Amino acid sequence: MKAPRRLIRSTMGSSAGHTFILLFLLAAAIITLFPIYMAVLNSLKSDGEMLNQVLAWPSSVTFANYADAYEKIDFMRSFVNTVVVTLIGVTGIVVFASMAGYKMSRTPGKLSRFLFSLFVLSSLIPFHSILITLVKIAKELKVQGTTYGLGFIYIGLGVALAIFLYHGFVKSIPRDLDEAAVMDGCGELRLYATIIFPLLLPITATVAILNALWMWNDFLLPLLMLTNSDYYTLLISTNMLFGEYNNDWSAILASLVLTMLPILAVYLVLQKYILSGIAEGAIKG
């Protein structure tokens, strides 16, 4: 009789554990999605209704706020600027980090270990501790105030973590592929471009989406680096809607929703690669 009782207690404990985890994840999802829900909900209201009835459903749905926000933040210009910055940053990180991670993983030695450790340790430095120095260097190099300059800065800041992920992921690729390609007369650059890089798709998708989310939603660095309104990103343009004495909340919320939609679509397309890529890269690293 003891064995069935133990089995029942074990089953009940497992069921309670699963229920607790499910409730915890549900609460976390609600806390995470509630601000987005509030932004979408209130962006469909008139200004007066939003201020007086924040939690209520709109009495009449209006999309005028989106048209207003589209004009006030010059959406297409800001959107193009944000896309340019993100493309430069993500492309640079993927290219440099994948090449460096592959090379250091395939050539073990003191130099490779030292460089890899240096990259990993640099990713632990708090961003705010180098902020003033970074702004001064950008100003001296004449890259402050431009989208391409901001993209290059993102490359420097994001490449360390990407190298860590690529370095670990490359270890899962058999060395026999390298040896077979070399025997067929394939050079090192061609080997990387035609054989290794296509196999890095899962971790490349992970690196790309994580960095794209960071760059698209970043506010502090563009605020410091972009001094010309012609190069403002979406979030910086939205910030201009905040006034000293008056805030256009209807346009602000609509602008935030417009800013969120493109990167949300990209995330939904690539999200299946994120967990698998991080797990494989981190474990094998």
Side-chain angles (χ1 to χ4, degrees), residues 128-140:
H128 295 84
S129 66
I130 62 172
L131 187 57
I132 297 176
T133 304
L134 185 63
V135 173
K136 288 184 176 180
I137 292 175
K139 189 174 182 179
E140 290 295 327

Side-chain angles (χ1 to χ4, degrees), residues 34-100:
F34 184 72
I36 300 175
Y37 164 76
M38 290 298 297
V40 175
L41 179 69
N42 287 285
S43 68
L44 299 174
K45 300 177 182 178
S46 63
D47 208 25
E49 185 181 3
M50 181 196 67
L51 295 175
N52 294 323
Q53 299 177 339
V54 177
L55 296 176
W57 284 90
S59 57
S60 60
V61 176
T62 175
F63 293 95
N65 295 330
Y66 288 90
D68 187 32
Y70 188 92
E71 293 181 3
K72 286 184 175 180
I73 67 173
D74 198 350
F75 180 81
M76 285 309 301
R77 185 194 65 190
S78 302
F79 175 77
V80 171
N81 290 337
T82 309
V83 170
V84 169
V85 170
T86 304
L87 282 179
I88 292 174
V90 170
T91 302
I93 289 174
V94 167
V95 172
F96 293 126
S98 60
M99 294 178 72

